[in-house]
Amino acid sequence: MDTEALYRAAHLLKKTQHAVALTGAGVSVESGIPPFRGRGGLWERYDPEKVASLRGFRRDPGAFWEFAQTLMGPMEAQPNPGHEALACLEERGLLQAVLTQNIDGLHQKAGSQKVLELHGSLEQVYCLHCGLEFSWSEALKIMADKGQCQDCASPYLKPDIVFFGEALPEDVLQAAFWEARNCEVFLVIGSSLEVYPVAQLPAVARDEGAKTILINRDRVFGEREFDVILRGNAKTILPRLLELWES
Ligand code: OAD
């Protein structure tokens, strides 16, 4: 770990009471959930157009539900010390919001209160035909068994997540932009910053004068724009940052 960079990040955090974090799949890797890109990424094994796009879903909802067996992990996964450190920073009054692209619910499980889920969540599943609601585990069972809605026999049971080709929930997106514009320190943790519009948020924060900190295992596009880069695992770096901030 780059200790000097860690001290610089802690110093930036000590000077503010208004930090905001943006998280991606990397923060949940150490909870056993695979990322999408890079080493061990889901998109090495699955075609996102087939399993995670609106067009693919319309053509073959079964392909999504097969892929969903891989996504089942989130329901059993537990938060790791990275999620816990973020919840702690919020409780102590430093972190004002977590903006997340993750659909796994782990920030909430760790105790974070203000979480903006930009790509939705797996909690609710709807039948696109009759609107009947299911929990994620109910829907998984139904789709593995009969493969259709028990009420109207439609095969189009869709979780409340954002597929490629779909717009992000407008209210959540606006709220996330507001948080980015109004913070003093903007942290990005475990995201490749390859998916828009979320990838714009660090620049939005920067344009309004915020300092930016990146915590990521690998290099990401545009990382030179960040004030501090902490290369490594979120699970290790976040608790260490919390410790230094408190000291
Ligand atoms: P990605 O999978 O694109 O990027 C995850 C990033 O986390 C990579 O840059 C890794 O280097 C890094 N990483 C991996 N393990 C890490 C660890 N232990 N600690 C810190 N960093 C780690 O995930 P996202 O950026 O979240 O959207 O992906 C954005 C969106 O693309 C997802 O929400 C999903 C996907 O397609 C939709 O499905 C709409």
Side-chain angles (χ1 to χ4, degrees):
M1 201 184 301
D2 180 345
T3 314
E4 197 254 318
L6 199 61
Y7 274 94
R8 277 196 290 129
H11 180 68
L12 286 180
L13 293 177
K14 275 178 195 256
K15 288 200 301 189
T16 181
Q17 286 185 320
H18 200 140
V20 163
L22 165 66
T23 65
V27 77
S28 295
V29 163
E30 285 147 316
S31 293
I33 302 173
F36 296 98
R37 299 174 184 78
R39 199 174 351 127
L42 288 169
W43 297 157
E44 275 175 2
R45 289 182 278 145
Y46 295 91
D47 176 357
E49 173 62 27
K50 279 198 185 129
V51 302
S53 79
L54 197 57
R55 218 162 43 166
F57 183 74
R58 287 209 175 106
R59 212 177 292 137
D60 179 12
F64 166 75
W65 285 101
E66 260 179 63
F67 169 65
Q69 305 302 327
T70 320
L71 289 176
M72 256 178 89
M75 284 302 162
E76 287 142 27
Q78 293 306 317
N80 66 56
H83 298 101
E84 283 156 11
L86 289 174
C88 195
L89 286 170
E90 181 185 3
E91 201 199 336
R92 310 260 161 100
L94 170 71
L95 197 65
Q96 302 306 318
V98 175
L99 324 179
T100 190
Q101 297 164 93
N102 299 344
I103 54 176
D104 55 32
L106 290 184
H107 287 301
Q108 293 91 329
K109 264 196 197 169
S112 287
Q113 300 290 315
K114 186 159 182 192
V115 182
L116 301 180
E117 293 176 310
L118 285 147
H119 290 168
S121 105
L122 287 181
E123 217 154 90
Q124 287 293 319
V125 178
Y126 299 91
C127 170
L128 292 187
H129 187 69
C130 71
L132 198 64
E133 287 181 23
F134 305 86
S135 71
W136 175 249
S137 44
E138 276 171 349
L140 269 172
K141 246 188 256 148
I142 290 170
M143 290 311 283
D145 182 19
K146 294 210 166 88
Q148 58 186 41
C149 173
Q150 60 209 38
D151 234 32
C152 71
S154 161
Y156 294 105
L157 261 52
K158 182 181 175 298
D160 202 8
I161 57 178
V162 176
F163 279 160
F164 288 109
E166 272 190 303
L168 272 63
E170 189 56 30
D171 51 340
V172 183
L173 187 61
Q174 289 310 325
F177 272 84
W178 189 92
E179 295 293 346
R181 278 197 301 269
N182 288 282
C183 68
E184 290 176 341
V185 175
F186 192 79
L187 293 129
V188 177
I189 305 146
S191 175
S192 60
L193 293 176
E194 287 196 20
V195 176
Y196 283 81
V198 172
Q200 275 173 275
L201 289 167
V204 168
R206 205 174 286 125
D207 286 350
E208 295 295 325
K211 297 289 182 194
T212 51
I213 299 171
L214 175 71
I215 299 173
N216 213 64
R217 190 187 64 189
D218 305 303
R219 287 180 186 283
V220 305
F221 184 72
E223 69 172 27
R224 283 215 208 123
E225 304 293 324
F226 282 80
D227 295 290
V228 184
I229 298 173
L230 299 169
R231 183 99 51 223
N233 292 335
K235 177 188 165 187
T236 315
I237 293 176
L238 280 168
R240 189 78 188 95
L241 193 56
L242 170 65
E243 214 175 280
L244 282 180
W245 173 72
E246 281 177 322
S247 67

